[in-house]
Amino acid sequence: MSLQAALILFGVFFLLLALGVPISVGIGVASFVTALTIVPMDIAIFTAAQKMVQGINSFTLLAVIFFILSGSIMNNGGIAIRLINLAKLIGGRLPGSLAHTNVVGNMLFGSISGSAVAAAAAIGKVMTPLQAKEGYDKSYSAAVNIASSPAGLLIPPSGALILYSLVSGGTSISALFMAGYLPGILMGLAVMSIAFIMAKKQKYPVTERPSFTTGIKIVIDAIPSLLMIVVVIGGIVGGIFTATEGAAVAVLYSIVLSAIYREIKLKDIPQILKESVVMTGIVLFLVGASSIMSWVMAFTGIPSAISELLLASSENPIIILLIMNLILLIIGTFMDLTPAVLIFTPIFLPIATEIGMDPVHFGIVLVFNLCIGIMTPPVGSCLFVGCSVADVSIESVLGPLTKIFIALIVALLLVTFIPSISLAIPRLIGLL
């Protein structure tokens, strides 16, 4: 039954994807069709509806909704330019300093907004003209922006890690947040290493060092934005409030900050709320549809069958982890991060725990893999946004992006096979 159900489920799902059906609809339809082969129609309809409602009936999901709203407010609140100025200060003395500024800016803005696409758009709009003025190749600049924009999905607060916690059965959000810092920084450093080599090769200029007074002003301007991370993450880890309450605090903080910066006007609020509602609806529908798929897979024993098959293929944990990474990298090329987390967590997490992998560590590896996926063709969201912002073709970006991919794969392997990169901070502060 497991084999038959798996063939129907994934066969129908990938067929619908090939036909251009939205992923969330494809998940729901494929799951329902598979359910019809194992239970009568009336039971399938009742159970599917029940599972969808149960899937979104979660207090934890409110955190994702609030972080989406907070990110929308911050995207329009004049924060990007202040973080870019700080990023210039941090990476300004390195060869090809504007590329390093782009990377650091994406790491800072992505972590605050919680959106890789928002980071690629906001930072790319500012950095692309600056780099073009100093003689940077436009395709290379776009590649750096695209490759560094997902780093903020690992550096908390991260909606992807909250979703993983929900699907994995309650893995500590505080531990996941703390575990994401070093891998997220490592992802940024991997991009910066290629940027350093390219700068030496192409002789890209170094930004002029700002005066001490200017540097102090830049830091002071950026502190209010950076304090959101301290307040939200510090409150969650310190037990002052839950992740959901922390997300609500982030919304309040972003409103106050935007009012201080005076970048958002009353007429902008309806559009901000509309963006947030649309994104929330997409996420909730994905979660509901994925809940049906999770039920079908659990009922038919698909995860355990895949686990047995993969574990039977090799007794070496290194080989198993390599296979899992390869599958996730391939999945990431044609599936967005959110549905991939919802679908493949229940499949691969039992395998990871079977070979002795900590669920927190696996969550970071899973998200790292899928972060690489959203910058790759054919459906990488960051790839499309980054190319659009820079006004370059996807084909022209693939050359420089391939070099960065190699560095990111090395970073992924380090995170996969050196658990302490992910687990050192959570253990240090007593979360594991």
Side-chain angles (χ1 to χ4, degrees), residues 113-127:
S113 69
S115 170
V117 170
I123 303 299
K125 282 178 184 175
V126 178
M127 293 306 303

Side-chain angles (χ1 to χ4, degrees), residues 74-420:
M74 289 203 156
N75 290 347
N76 296 275
I79 290 168
I81 189 63
R82 290 167 174 83
L83 294 180
I84 286 172
N85 289 335
L86 179 63
K88 280 183 183 178
L89 199 62
I90 295 172
R93 301 308 299 164
L94 294 171
S97 53
L98 287 182
H100 299 294
T101 297
N102 197 327
V103 176
V104 176
N106 271 326
M107 292 167 69
L108 293 172
F109 189 80
S111 64
I112 290 174
S113 69
S115 170
V117 170
I123 303 299
K125 282 178 184 175
V126 178
M127 293 306 303
T128 299
L130 294 177
Q131 292 179 82
K133 186 183 290 187
E134 294 203 8
Y136 286 71
D137 179 73
K138 286 181 67 175
S139 297
Y140 163 71
S141 299
V144 170
N145 184 46
I146 292 163
S148 58
S149 57
L153 297 178
L154 283 167
I155 302 172
S158 166
L161 294 178
I162 294 172
L163 282 176
Y164 169 78
S165 170
L166 179 70
V167 183
S168 64
T171 304
S172 169
I173 293 176
S174 297
L176 285 166
F177 277 4
M178 291 297 100
Y181 274 110
L182 293 182
I185 293 170
L186 183 61
M187 176 180 276
L189 291 175
V191 180
M192 290 175 75
S193 67
I194 301 300
F196 183 88
I197 294 170
M198 291 296 293
K200 287 288 189 180
K201 183 177 178 181
Q202 301 295 333
K203 294 183 170 51
Y204 289 135
V206 176
T207 303
E208 184 179 345
R209 184 193 294 271
S211 67
F212 179 77
T213 305
T214 303
I216 293 296
K217 185 179 183 303
I218 288 170
V219 172
I220 292 173
D221 281 347
I223 283 175
S225 302
L226 297 176
L227 273 178
M228 193 196 88
I229 299 175
V230 176
V231 171
V232 174
I233 303 302
I236 294 172
V237 174
I240 299 172
F241 38 69
T242 65
T244 302
E245 293 163 347
V249 170
V251 172
L252 179 61
Y253 191 95
S254 59
I255 291 172
V256 172
L257 196 59
S258 298
I260 293 172
Y261 289 159
R262 298 181 181 178
E263 296 284 348
I264 291 181
K265 299 176 177 59
L266 284 175
K267 66 178 183 179
D268 299 325
I269 293 176
Q271 181 61 31
I272 291 171
L273 292 176
K274 179 183 175 182
E275 290 175 4
S276 302
V277 168
V278 170
M279 184 58 66
T280 296
I282 292 170
V283 171
L284 290 181
F285 189 71
L286 272 170
V287 172
S290 298
S291 298
I292 307 174
M293 180 175 276
S294 296
W295 167 70
V296 170
M297 289 194 298
F299 189 86
T300 57
I302 291 174
S304 58
I306 294 175
S307 176
E308 289 173 8
L309 180 65
L310 192 52
L311 291 171
S313 66
S314 175
E315 295 182 357
N316 190 334
I318 295 176
I319 300 298
I320 293 172
L321 286 172
L322 286 173
I323 293 172
M324 287 169 59
N325 276 331
L326 181 61
I327 293 172
L328 288 170
L329 285 171
I330 294 171
I331 292 298
T333 62
F334 60 84
M335 187 179 294
D336 204 14
L337 187 144
T338 298
V341 169
L342 294 169
I343 293 171
F344 291 95
T345 296
I347 293 176
F348 287 135
L349 181 57
I351 302 172
T353 53
E354 181 72 23
I355 61 176
M357 196 175 189
D358 190 284
V360 172
H361 180 207
F362 173 72
I364 299 300
V365 172
L366 173 74
V367 173
F368 200 126
N369 268 288
L370 299 175
C371 280
I372 296 176
I374 63 175
M375 60 180 92
T376 55
V379 294
S381 52
C382 287
L383 176 67
F384 293 132
V385 171
C387 289
S388 175
V389 168
D391 193 25
V392 295
S393 66
I394 292 174
E395 293 77 12
S396 67
V397 168
L398 292 181
L401 203 53
T402 302
K403 300 182 181 70
I404 301 175
F405 281 156
I406 295 171
L408 289 173
I409 295 298
V410 172
L412 171 62
L413 293 176
L414 290 174
V415 171
T416 301
F417 295 111
I418 306 177
S420 57

